[in-house]
Amino acid sequence: MTQSVESFGELLKETRHSAVHLEMRDSYAVSGEADDFEEWKRAGFANTDPGSPYWALWVGLVSEAVGRGVVMRRARIVSEPVTDYIRFEHAGTTVVIGAGEQVRWLPRRRASDIALPGNDFWLFDDRLVQFNVFGGDSRWMHTDFTEDPAVVKLCASAFESVWERGIPHEQYTV
């Protein structure tokens, strides 16, 4: 079970200024992308068709949000050498950039002195944090939400520190 893109879309529709996403895992076992990941491993190339069933809903959500002025940024902290999963993510990132997201990558060795929360998160309009909690097997478990000002401040600071050091997607090679 995972959070649906549709329920995430409801959060994004309420967002007015910014949505930032920090990813810190080297692999994810998200059921909705398992087939595409297996196909990428077999064929050696990623599905980068923004109109495909894999991408269409996400591309629509991002394009709509960006079109009304929401700045969407995603930062990924990755171990090097990168995992196959990170290679897969990197290969498909052109689609989210084409939809309007900005993406940067930070090698984990350059993040050692950054205070980071324990889980990946989305931060909406510097007011609402959605933590994405994953199990040890990399499967999504659940989401936690908070508007606690101290947690929002930690997440905003962590994201901005990673973003500042991050390497723009077009310059980061895997």
Side-chain angles (χ1 to χ4, degrees), residues 110-153:
R110 294 179 51 199
S112 296
D113 61 344
I114 299 173
L116 299 167
N119 293 291
D120 291 8
F121 65 86
W122 279 93
L123 174 58
F124 301 96
D125 287 337
D126 288 323
R127 66 165 188 82
L128 174 67
V129 177
Q130 173 188 298
F131 286 111
N132 297 316
V133 180
F134 290 85
D137 60 0
S138 297
R139 286 188 291 176
W140 180 85
M141 304 299 289
H142 60 89
T143 54
D144 292 328
F145 295 90
T146 185
E147 292 181 271
D148 179 307
V151 176
V152 167
K153 183 178 178 181

Side-chain angles (χ1 to χ4, degrees), residues 16-51:
R16 298 291 163 239
H17 307 288
S18 67
V20 300
H21 186 35
L22 182 59
E23 298 177 0
M24 299 180 283
R25 300 181 61 85
D26 288 318
S27 69
Y28 294 86
V30 178
S31 60
E33 64 188 20
D35 291 342
D36 275 50
F37 182 42
E38 289 304 315
E39 178 65 17
W40 173 83
K41 288 193 296 188
R42 188 186 63 67
F45 59 89
N47 170 3
T48 57
D49 175 5

Side-chain angles (χ1 to χ4, degrees), residues 69-106:
V70 175
V71 175
M72 292 187 68
R73 297 182 293 159
R74 179 185 304 253
R76 294 176 171 139
I77 298 174
V78 296
S79 299
E80 293 179 320
V82 299
T83 63
D84 281 346
Y85 184 86
I86 295 300
R87 289 182 201 288
F88 165 71
E89 274 194 330
H90 190 272
T93 296
T94 56
V95 177
V96 299
I97 289 173
E101 280 191 57
Q102 301 169 44
V103 180
R104 291 189 181 177
W105 303 80
L106 182 64

Side-chain angles (χ1 to χ4, degrees), residues 4 10 36 47 51 59 61 63 65 68 99 112 123-124 135 158:
S4 71
E10 292 304 313
D36 275 50
N47 170 3
V59 166
L61 288 172
S63 297
R68 59 185 165 76
S112 296
L123 174 58
F124 301 96

